[in-house]
Amino acid sequence: MSWLIHEVRRLVTEQEPETILQRMGYQPQDLRALVRLKEVVADDQLGLRESGFDFRYDGRSFALALCRALGINELQADSEINELTQACFEDRWAFRPYIFVDTAFRRTSQPLFALAACESMRRLKLGDGFWRLPLVEQLASVKQRIREHVVTSGGKVGPWGLVQRYLFYYTENQALVFSPEAEI
C-alpha cells in the first residue's frame, strides 16, 4: 500500500468528514458525497478503479481534490495518483490467471441451462493482483487453493462429477496440470 493511501487515511481520521467535503466543494450534509468519501478512503486504490463521476468529480479528480482538502502536497499526490491509475489500468486489461476444475464430464441427459448455471463452479478465481505475483508464489497459492477446494467440495463439483485434475491457466493459452493432491 502506498504512502499516499496511509496519509489520506490518517488525515481523514483527524478531521470531520463534513469539513473535508466542504473544502472539496460539496454541501456538508451531502450523504452521497459522504458515502463516496468513506468508500474512497477504504479502497486500496483510492477509488480509481472506476470513473465514479458524480457531476462534480470523476475518480481521479476526486482523489486529487481530497488530497488538496487534506493539505497533502499536490505534486506528490498527483505523481502517486498517476501510478495508482496506471496500476488500475494494467489490472483491468491483464489476463487473470485461474484454475479450471476438470472432471472429464460427458453430457448425457443434463439440461443445458442447468450446466450453464453451474459453469462458474468449474473456475476457481485467484484474487485481484494475483497476476502480479512471481510464478513461484503463484504456484504456492494455487497448490493451497486446490487443497482448500478438495476439502470444501469433497472432490465433487455439482453436476460435473468427481474432480480428475486441475488446470492452472497462468497465461491465456498455457496451463499447468495439477492432481487433486495438488501435485504438478
Side-chain angles (χ1 to χ4, degrees), residues 52-153:
F53 185 70
D54 65 358
F55 296 104
R56 181 174 299 277
Y57 297 114
D58 64 5
R60 186 178 193 294
S61 299
F62 187 92
L64 280 170
L66 176 60
C67 291
R68 203 174 306 118
L70 295 172
I72 297 173
N73 180 297
E74 207 166 325
L75 289 175
Q76 288 179 316
D78 187 49
S79 172
E80 186 73 22
I81 288 170
N82 284 339
E83 288 179 26
L84 289 169
T85 302
Q86 181 62 33
C88 289
F89 178 80
E90 290 169 0
D91 283 341
R92 185 177 300 128
W93 296 107
F95 174 79
R96 287 179 174 68
Y98 65 93
I99 302 169
F100 180 77
V101 182
D102 186 10
T103 60
F105 176 78
R106 297 279 184 239
R107 181 172 175 256
T108 54
S109 63
Q110 299 84 352
L112 285 177
F113 72 88
L115 294 175
C118 296
E119 178 63 26
S120 64
M121 298 168 87
R122 294 170 48 162
R123 286 181 185 250
L124 306 179
K125 295 183 180 176
L126 296 166
D128 292 337
F130 184 84
W131 67 274
R132 291 183 183 274
L133 297 174
L135 188 56
V136 173
E137 289 180 38
Q138 287 183 18
L139 293 175
S141 294
V142 166
K143 286 182 174 191
Q144 182 61 35
R145 182 75 169 97
I146 289 171
R147 288 184 192 107
E148 290 169 1
H149 183 262
V150 168
V151 169
T152 58
S153 70

Side-chain angles (χ1 to χ4, degrees), residues 6-23:
H6 285 293
E7 188 68 5
V8 165
R9 288 178 180 168
R10 184 184 67 79
L11 292 171
V12 165
T13 60
E14 295 174 357
Q15 302 176 40
E16 292 295 320
E18 293 80 12
T19 305
I20 297 168
L21 291 173
Q22 203 165 14
R23 285 189 209 134

